[in-house]
């Protein structure tokens, strides 16, 4: 069944700019006497973030229900994300979201997706390790929907004749639906589309199991450890990324749950407590700086959303860009520095000049401003005109005589054209450029975003 909630429960991110690939770690077994907690942390942390998102969104969507009754239900965000959205890091302001966390250990769920051919939309399914394993929508299926039979790794059976089988490697799955909104006046039409999606648990399926370990504090070693090991225990370890936990067994990683951290030796507990702040800082830097720098921006790579064994990239994206779209759907660029390499300063004014030919996409593009949080996450900052991004759809946008668009980043209004003004926060900031349905020059790294020029 589906539920509707008017509270802001998903803002997303949905999504990511500046994450980039670091070296893939070797697969050699670790010494029991010298466990590599850095690698173990990178493997475990995305599981914690998945559990945290599941619990946070469920609680905000309908706080009157226990978590197990909020799973396998669609919840719709009926408005665009704003400065109050704190559920998921780095939300976008281009689409409205619908969200569902599936729990598949009890049996299949039918997902019904409408055809939407007159605007951009995407339905992404992400497993507990934060890999996107199926996308439905404008780019992936040419706007065609249908009925889908979603099952977990251990399900045995045959899908109904009128549904397409989709198998997840984990019993826990996050579905995030994005539908493009042209502006406030377009919201009623998009809400009608949201109501056409449906989640229908199969008749006779077993009970829904909710996580028991609270996943709230991303700096608490014990909480991260227990939540991650619980997520491991909720699915088969015979398929997918779950098979790899034995490589980190010397660090204590194994299917578990509440009390798993307490069961570690005192020395190993102390080592995890020391490693956690170091790893969080390292992942924050990985996401912010990356390795593929393009004209002062950090660029996402083709591994985003399908990380393989690149656990560091997976963990960095989970911290600062959870639920990023795969590269065929979107590519992301991010920067915290200007064209001179200096940190972006809220006291200064900057310009991003979009050339007359635009950005090579078959979907759309936007430039978004974020305030940086101390824990490495990013959210919108309140501003007088409640604007958090600028795109070709922004009302009042003025082009130069040559057709180019100057986007001005500053705390103070732009007198000559408020439509070109992207307000900045009072403190540390990050600018993201999203390119939806990017063309080959972007996907192949042959296109460079315009520099952030200090004025």
């Amino acid at each position: 069944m589906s539920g509707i909630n008017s509270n802001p429960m998903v803002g997303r991110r949905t999504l990511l700019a500046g994450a980039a690939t670091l070296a893939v770690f070797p697969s050699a077994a670790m010494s029991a006497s010298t466990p590599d907690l850095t690698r173990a942390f990178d493997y475990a942390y995305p599981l914690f973030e998945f559990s945290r998102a599941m619990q946070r969104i469920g609680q905000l969507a309908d706080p009157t229900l226990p978590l197990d009754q909020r799973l396998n239900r669609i919840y719709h965000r009926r408005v665009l994300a704003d400065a109050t959205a704190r559920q998921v890091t780095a939300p976008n302001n281009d689409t409205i979201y619908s969200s569902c966390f599936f729990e598949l250990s009890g049996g299949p769920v039918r997902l019904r997706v409408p055809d939407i051919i007159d605007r951009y939309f995407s339905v992404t399914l992400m497993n507990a390790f934060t890999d996107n394993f199926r996308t439905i929508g404008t780019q992936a299926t040419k706007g065609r929907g249908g009925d889908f039979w979603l099952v977990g790794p251990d399900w045995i059976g045959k899908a109904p004749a009128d549904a397409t089988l989709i198998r997840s490697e984990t019993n826990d799955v996050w579905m995030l639906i994005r539908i493009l909104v042209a502006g406030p006046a377009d919201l009623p039409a998009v809400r009608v589309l949201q109501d056409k999606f449906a989640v229908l648990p199969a008749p006779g399926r077993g009970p829904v199991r909710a996580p028991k370990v609270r996943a709230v504090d991303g700096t608490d070693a014990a909480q991260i450890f227990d939540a991650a090991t619980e997520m491991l225990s909720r699915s088969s370890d015979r398929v997918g990324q779950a098979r790899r936990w034995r490589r980190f067994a010397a660090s204590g990683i194994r299917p578990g749950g509440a009390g798993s951290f307490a069961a570690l030796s005192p020395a190993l507990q102390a080592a995890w407590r020391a490693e956690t702040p170091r790893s969080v800082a390292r992942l924050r830097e990985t996401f912010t700086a990356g390795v593929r720098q393009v004209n002062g921006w950090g660029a996402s790579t083709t591994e985003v959303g399908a990380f393989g064994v690149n656990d560091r990239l997976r963990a960095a994206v989970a911290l600062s860009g959870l639920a990023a779209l795969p590269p065929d759907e979107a590519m992301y660029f991010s920067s915290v520095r200007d064209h001179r390499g200096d940190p972006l300063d809220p006291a200064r004014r900057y310009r991003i000049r979009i050339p007359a030919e635009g950005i090579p996409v078959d979907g759309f593009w936007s430039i978004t401003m974020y305030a940086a949080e101390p824990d490495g996450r990013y959210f919108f900052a309140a501003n007088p005109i409640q604007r958090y991004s600028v795109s070709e759809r922004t009302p009042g946008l003025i082009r130069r005589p040559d057709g180019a668009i100057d986007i001005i980043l500053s705390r103070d209004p732009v007198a000559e054209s408020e439509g070109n003004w992207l307000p900045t926060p009072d403190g540390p900031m990050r600018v993201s450029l999203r390119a939806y349905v990017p063309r080959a020059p972007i996907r192949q790294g042959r296109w460079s975003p315009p520099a952030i020029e200090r004025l």
Side-chain angles (χ1 to χ4, degrees), residues 73-96:
R73 299 167 60 103
I74 296 181
Y75 289 95
H76 302 297
R77 181 179 174 90
R78 299 301 200 177
V79 297
L80 290 166
D82 58 21
T84 67
R86 288 292 189 275
Q87 289 71 53
V88 182
T89 183
N92 82 53
N93 191 239
D94 308 303
T95 69
I96 59 174

Side-chain angles (χ1 to χ4, degrees), residues 110-113 145-149 162-165 200:
R110 180 186 288 265
L111 168 63
R112 183 161 293 156
V113 179
D147 276 31
F148 302 89
W149 197 248
D162 63 344
T164 300
L165 180 68
L200 308 166

Side-chain angles (χ1 to χ4, degrees), residues 278-302:
R278 291 197 297 265
S279 279
V280 169
R282 172 176 49 80
L283 295 177
R284 187 183 304 127
E285 178 61 25
T286 298
F287 186 88
T288 301
V291 295
R292 192 166 79 88
Q293 294 293 314
V294 183
N295 206 21
W297 300 76
S300 62
T301 76
T302 55

Side-chain angles (χ1 to χ4, degrees), residues 270-353:
W272 271 101
R273 288 195 175 98
E275 178 61 34
T276 294
R278 291 197 297 265
S279 279
V280 169
R282 172 176 49 80
L283 295 177
R284 187 183 304 127
E285 178 61 25
T286 298
F287 186 88
T288 301
V291 295
R292 192 166 79 88
Q293 294 293 314
V294 183
N295 206 21
W297 300 76
S300 62
T301 76
T302 55
E303 288 180 279
V304 170
F307 301 96
V309 295
N310 194 338
D311 293 325
R312 182 170 296 182
L313 177 60
R314 181 193 301 276
V317 173
L319 171 64
S320 298
L322 184 65
L325 286 164
D328 285 348
E329 289 290 332
M331 294 288 285
Y332 306 89
F333 301 85
S334 175
S335 185
V336 295
R337 298 182 180 276
D338 64 21
H339 71 298
R340 303 178 185 181
D342 296 326
L344 295 176
D345 184 347
R348 293 185 177 276
R349 175 180 282 208
Y350 301 92
R351 178 180 63 200
I352 300 174
R353 178 166 290 172

Side-chain angles (χ1 to χ4, degrees), residues 327-400:
D328 285 348
E329 289 290 332
M331 294 288 285
Y332 306 89
F333 301 85
S334 175
S335 185
V336 295
R337 298 182 180 276
D338 64 21
H339 71 298
R340 303 178 185 181
D342 296 326
L344 295 176
D345 184 347
R348 293 185 177 276
R349 175 180 282 208
Y350 301 92
R351 178 180 63 200
I352 300 174
R353 178 166 290 172
I354 307 298
E357 64 270 21
I359 294 173
V361 296
D362 289 322
F364 59 97
W365 60 266
S366 66
I367 293 178
T368 306
M369 177 64 66
Y370 295 107
E373 298 290 312
D375 64 359
R377 295 183 293 168
Y378 298 92
F379 300 108
F380 297 142
N383 64 79
I385 60 172
Q386 299 182 53
R387 178 178 294 159
Y388 314 103
S389 66
V390 172
S391 72
E392 290 179 302
R393 304 180 308 282
T394 301
L397 197 67
I398 295 177
R399 290 181 177 268
R400 290 166 44 86

Side-chain angles (χ1 to χ4, degrees), residues 24-212:
V24 173
F25 300 117
S27 60
M30 294 175 292
S31 166
S33 60
T34 57
D36 188 338
L37 295 190
T38 298
R39 297 202 308 174
F41 188 94
D42 290 346
Y43 178 77
Y45 190 78
L47 293 165
F48 163 80
E49 283 291 356
F50 186 98
S51 184
R52 175 156 70 164
M54 179 190 295
Q55 295 178 46
R56 181 189 301 116
I57 288 174
Q59 289 162 0
L60 290 168
D62 192 344
T64 65
L65 292 177
L67 181 57
D68 61 349
Q69 295 182 36
R70 301 183 206 124
L71 304 180
N72 295 343
R73 299 167 60 103
I74 296 181
Y75 289 95
H76 302 297
R77 181 179 174 90
R78 299 301 200 177
V79 297
L80 290 166
D82 58 21
T84 67
R86 288 292 189 275
Q87 289 71 53
V88 182
T89 183
N92 82 53
N93 191 239
D94 308 303
T95 69
I96 59 174
Y97 292 87
S98 299
S99 178
C100 177
F101 277 91
F102 297 101
E103 199 288 303
L104 301 173
S105 67
V109 172
R110 180 186 288 265
L111 168 63
R112 183 161 293 156
V113 179
D115 294 343
I116 303 177
I117 59 175
D118 61 346
R119 69 177 69 230
Y120 174 85
F121 86 105
S122 64
V123 180
T124 51
L125 298 173
M126 185 177 77
N127 64 31
F129 284 91
T130 71
D131 282 316
N132 292 306
F133 63 93
R134 178 64 70 92
T135 304
I136 304 158
T138 301
Q139 189 280 328
T141 60
K142 308 305 179 187
R144 301 300 178 184
D147 276 31
F148 302 89
W149 197 248
L150 184 58
V151 304
D154 297 321
W155 184 77
I156 299 174
K158 186 177 180 181
D162 63 344
T164 300
L165 180 68
I166 299 178
R167 186 179 296 275
S168 170
E169 293 180 347
T170 63
N171 284 319
D172 296 298
V173 174
W174 185 8
M175 176 180 71
L176 199 56
I177 302 168
R178 299 167 170 90
I179 307 177
L180 178 64
V181 179
D186 191 34
L187 282 170
V190 177
R191 291 166 185 158
V192 171
L193 294 175
Q194 286 181 309
D195 291 337
K196 294 182 179 181
F197 290 85
V199 168
L200 308 166
R205 60 155 284 151
V208 173
R209 301 177 306 135
K212 297 179 180 178

